[in-house]
Amino acid sequence: MTYRGGAALSWQSDFSQFYLVDSNDPRFEAPVSITEEMQRKRWQRLSTGLVVYTRDWLMQVIEIRIFAAPQAADPVEWRTGRAWVQTEIAKAAFPSHMFALSSPSKAGLEHYGPIFRTDASEMTVRLQWMEQTERHDDGVAGPPDVIRLDLWPA
């Protein structure tokens, strides 16, 4: 089996984005200007990391799955049975063979977390979004959007 590990995290993406950051890169900076291409594909590769853009909804489940080899994509999100609304393939560099999740709210003094290990420094990332179609209301809890990231050596 090629599954190395992963996690499903309840997340709140502020400013409609979150980051995969190389754990040993203290210089990580997310793009300030978001281009039309970045909005369309909903990700941006950085020198040591990846920015993932979400809809303007604070509640997500971020699912990270790490594999030793390419894995076929699931046609539907298993919690809801709904089809993924968008699938993209990206490349990301993690020279330390480790990355962590982070967000724009990180003050800069605390450590990133949680930390994931990879088999290679260059990884392929399949990003899939399953977003709710119901009206989102910040005052009423509803089902979260799901964003899955499958990673394997490039």
Side-chain angles (χ1 to χ4, degrees), residues 40-137:
R40 180 186 51 75
K41 65 183 182 180
R42 303 180 65 191
W43 60 270
Q44 179 64 33
R45 180 184 174 147
L46 303 174
S47 61
T48 58
L50 190 71
V51 178
V52 179
Y53 298 104
T54 68
R55 283 185 55 197
D56 193 20
W57 179 231
L58 289 177
M59 296 173 39
Q60 288 98 28
V61 170
I62 307 298
E63 188 175 8
I64 305 287
R65 303 187 321 169
I66 300 172
F67 297 93
Q71 191 73 15
D74 294 328
V76 297
E77 196 279 321
W78 67 271
R79 292 168 195 83
T80 63
R82 290 183 174 180
W84 298 102
V85 298
Q86 185 171 348
T87 299
E88 297 283 333
I89 300 291
K91 301 285 186 192
F94 306 113
S96 70
H97 291 224
M98 295 184 295
F99 70 89
L101 292 182
S102 188
S103 73
S105 293
K106 181 180 175 302
L109 303 174
E110 69 275 12
H111 293 286
Y112 294 113
I115 296 173
F116 297 89
R117 295 186 185 276
T118 64
D119 289 343
S121 59
E122 280 288 324
M123 300 293 287
T124 298
V125 184
R126 179 176 43 240
L127 302 103
Q128 294 179 290
W129 292 263
M130 192 291 300
E131 296 159 323
Q132 303 301 323
T133 56
E134 296 84 30
R135 182 177 182 276
H136 288 164
D137 182 347

Side-chain angles (χ1 to χ4, degrees), residues 1-76:
M1 179 163 176
T2 68
Y3 181 69
R4 294 289 198 225
L9 307 160
S10 181
W11 196 265
Q12 290 188 335
S13 291
D14 49 348
F15 300 102
S16 301
Q17 58 192 288
F18 64 93
Y19 316 131
L20 278 66
V21 180
D22 185 275
S23 297
N24 287 342
D25 185 0
R27 303 174 323 264
F28 177 84
E29 288 187 38
V32 176
S33 299
I34 301 173
T35 66
E36 286 185 31
E37 180 184 3
M38 292 159 69
Q39 289 177 341
R40 180 186 51 75
K41 65 183 182 180
R42 303 180 65 191
W43 60 270
Q44 179 64 33
R45 180 184 174 147
L46 303 174
S47 61
T48 58
L50 190 71
V51 178
V52 179
Y53 298 104
T54 68
R55 283 185 55 197
D56 193 20
W57 179 231
L58 289 177
M59 296 173 39
Q60 288 98 28
V61 170
I62 307 298
E63 188 175 8
I64 305 287
R65 303 187 321 169
I66 300 172
F67 297 93
Q71 191 73 15
D74 294 328
V76 297

